[in-house]
Amino acid sequence: QTRRPVTGDEGLAGEAADAVADFTGKGKVHVLGELWDAAGDVPVRKGDRLTVLRREGLTLVVKPADRKDRTGS
């Protein structure tokens, strides 16, 4: 069995993020209790649940979470 990395860039990919404020393009998100700069291709509203795609420097690239990610089912 291969375990998912838990540290470094690979450890953040796939993590849930919550938008701190509305943003289009760049903004701020909470991930694992930390505040990060974020970038994405679609407008985001405060409180939206997002998924981290990757880290680019000190910025997380995010996308809207899949419906199943938001509901936990």
Side-chain angles (χ1 to χ4, degrees):
Q1 246 182 27
T2 303
R3 289 180 36 191
R4 187 170 153 225
V6 293
T7 61
D9 293 344
E10 296 85 12
L12 289 170
E15 287 293 339
D18 295 308
V20 175
D22 295 354
F23 67 88
T24 300
K26 294 187 177 184
K28 299 276 189 187
V29 296
H30 271 124
V31 179
L32 299 174
E34 297 180 335
L35 187 63
W36 284 86
D37 289 326
D41 293 334
V42 298
V44 173
R45 296 188 58 89
K46 180 179 179 178
D48 280 358
R49 178 57 58 105
L50 307 164
T51 300
V52 177
L53 298 175
R54 65 186 175 278
R55 190 182 84 158
E56 293 180 355
L58 296 177
T59 300
L60 301 180
V61 178
V62 297
K63 67 167 187 143
D66 293 333
R67 183 178 196 105
K68 65 179 181 174
D69 291 344
R70 287 186 222 136
T71 62
S73 54

